Amino acid sequence: MTELAAVKAALKIQAVETPSWAYGNSGTRFKVFAQAGVPRDPFEKLDDAAKVHEFTGAAPTVALHIPWDRVGDYAALAQHAEDRGVRIGAINSNTFQDDDYRLGSICHPDAAVRRKAVDHLLECVDIMDATGSHDLKLWFADGTNYPGQDDIRARQDRLAEGLAEVYERLGDGQRMLLEYKLFEPAFYTTDVPDWGTAYAHCLKLGEKAQVVVDTGHHAPGTNIEFIVATLLREGKLGGFDFNSRFYADDDLMVGAADPFQLFRIMYEVVRGGGFTSDVAFMLDQCHNIEAKIPAIIRSVMNVQEATAKALLVDGTALAAAQGAGDVLEANSVLMDAYNTDVRPLLREVREESGLDPEPMRAYRASGWGEKVVAERVGGEQAGWGA
């Protein structure tokens, strides 16, 4: 197989998981902006997600968020997804929107609240069983706002205890993916603030526990690709939540703010073998002012472009320059790949896969956007909290 053929083959098997909540209404702390044609339930979210996969060929799974996507029959929801050519992906828990969680959930000082939180996580594993999902994704808003508010070490003990109970409930082929976040909504301490804390808990839990890297959850200037390389080296990179940030957790479209960073991250993924392993490439974005389905299609394409450039890095030339200590040549090898216009290559990949070479054009021509606006009248649109 030629080098170009190998790159094409890798791109043809790339999969980017889209989030159900990105198809619903979202906004800022100040306003949620409604759009016509937004799904009213998880079944309609899956209908929209299927369109993203239809036109990109690279989005075969859809992450659910519980209770936002709670239904009476999860087997029926999974069948609905399958009927439309997609599958249920990660099950995301929600332990941050109940009044009981004002002082935390799994780390709360009150044992009754902790019990409620852990029971919810166990419910999410039940939903995994019913839908065929392999991944339980956990993010906790837990933390404190003031020095002395709670015992920092005790909160870590509570976290470890709760995670261990849920971990023991996982079945064969299921994973726990632990996400971290620098700050927000807690401002003094966050109970899982960085990759080191997440890694320490996952290491203690066992092989089924891995770390999720959300590209928006870091301090300015953080070298995310170093974190990715290290977690891959340790076999503990479970997946990504892809999005972009200018200031904090902005949840903008992946590749929008710093496409060079996305390329650097994907190079480390390719270099570390993560592209052909079980690393989950998930989107976690909020499309507040832009049309949702086109924005998600564009996001998938951005990941594809960064991946294509990463796959084009001349590994032999790079290793030679690095071994010789040739700083400028080594950097030049990376920059040559990054500066390559890979759009013609991706158009070829899509055509060879029987797809329209221009997904955005194909979606607009399909009339799906106009169709759902006309049909989804009445009822309550899905959004934050629903």
Side-chain angles (χ1 to χ4, degrees), residues 180 195 213 218 222-232 237:
Y180 59 91
W195 72 273
V213 175
H218 303 82
T222 298
N223 190 318
I224 299 176
E225 53 267 37
F226 173 84
I227 298 170
V228 170
T230 302
L231 289 172
L232 275 169
L237 180 63

Side-chain angles (χ1 to χ4, degrees), residues 18-326:
T18 68
S20 68
W21 53 97
Y23 298 97
N25 287 324
S26 58
T28 69
R29 290 183 297 142
F30 306 101
K31 171 68 175 175
V32 172
F33 300 101
Q35 295 184 20
V38 161
R40 295 163 295 182
D41 57 45
F43 293 90
E44 291 182 346
K45 291 179 183 179
L46 290 173
D47 293 341
D48 286 356
K51 290 298 172 182
V52 174
H53 183 50
E54 177 182 336
F55 295 115
T56 64
T61 59
V62 186
L64 301 185
H65 207 297
I66 307 300
W68 299 348
D69 294 317
R70 185 173 279 148
V71 295
D73 187 340
Y74 289 101
L77 187 66
Q79 185 62 54
H80 184 84
E82 185 176 337
D83 290 345
R84 279 146 184 80
V86 293
R87 304 185 311 277
I88 302 299
I91 304 300
N92 291 252
S93 63
N94 182 322
T95 55
F96 52 86
Q97 285 195 310
D98 288 2
D99 287 342
D100 285 342
Y101 298 142
R102 182 171 61 90
L103 299 179
S105 62
I106 195 171
C107 302
H108 198 287
D110 187 332
V113 176
R114 296 199 301 275
R115 184 69 260 161
K116 173 181 175 177
V118 170
D119 285 346
H120 169 66
L121 303 185
L122 294 173
E123 175 199 5
C124 288
V125 182
D126 292 339
I127 295 170
M128 292 171 66
D129 294 339
T131 60
S133 170
H134 301 296
D135 293 335
L136 172 67
K137 188 146 72 69
L138 307 178
W139 172 73
F140 300 106
D142 294 37
T144 64
N145 279 357
Y146 296 98
Q149 176 182 324
D150 200 356
D151 186 316
I152 294 174
R153 178 166 175 167
R155 292 181 74 89
Q156 289 297 308
D157 292 339
R158 300 167 198 156
L159 175 63
E161 180 181 358
L163 290 176
E165 181 177 347
V166 179
Y167 184 88
E168 289 302 314
R169 170 64 181 80
L170 295 174
D172 293 338
Q174 294 180 338
R175 300 187 299 176
M176 172 187 290
L177 304 182
L178 182 59
E179 188 176 348
Y180 59 91
K181 187 175 183 181
L182 177 65
F183 80 103
E184 192 188 41
F187 294 106
Y188 174 59
T189 63
T190 299
D191 290 314
V192 189
D194 51 40
W195 72 273
T197 304
Y199 172 74
H201 282 283
C202 289
L203 191 64
K204 187 173 183 179
L205 287 165
E207 292 183 356
K208 292 181 180 180
Q210 294 181 303
V211 180
V212 169
V213 175
D214 186 306
T215 51
H217 285 188
H218 303 82
T222 298
N223 190 318
I224 299 176
E225 53 267 37
F226 173 84
I227 298 170
V228 170
T230 302
L231 289 172
L232 275 169
R233 181 174 179 271
E234 298 299 322
K236 281 296 183 182
L237 180 63
F240 289 95
D241 272 0
F242 280 134
N243 54 70
S244 282
R245 61 178 292 278
F246 286 106
Y247 297 102
D249 186 23
D250 300 342
D251 275 343
L252 298 174
M253 290 167 49
V254 59
D258 190 350
F260 185 44
Q261 180 191 65
L262 181 60
F263 160 75
R264 299 193 310 265
I265 290 170
M266 291 309 302
Y267 170 70
E268 293 301 333
V269 170
V270 171
R271 165 69 179 81
F275 188 59
T276 55
S277 70
D278 291 330
V279 174
F281 301 100
M282 300 175 280
L283 302 180
D284 182 12
Q285 305 174 163
C286 291
H287 304 292
N288 303 334
I289 59 175
E290 65 270 29
K292 299 177 189 304
I293 299 176
I296 297 171
I297 291 174
R298 179 68 259 179
S299 298
V300 172
M301 293 171 66
N302 287 349
V303 175
Q304 289 178 309
E305 289 176 16
T307 303
K309 292 180 178 185
L311 289 165
L312 289 174
V313 172
D314 187 335
T316 301
L318 182 60
Q322 291 171 339
D326 192 334

Side-chain angles (χ1 to χ4, degrees), residues 8 12 347-355:
K8 285 185 175 182
K12 288 175 182 177
R347 284 194 285 268
E348 287 182 23
V349 168
R350 294 185 188 109
E351 287 182 321
E352 291 174 7
S353 300
L355 300 170

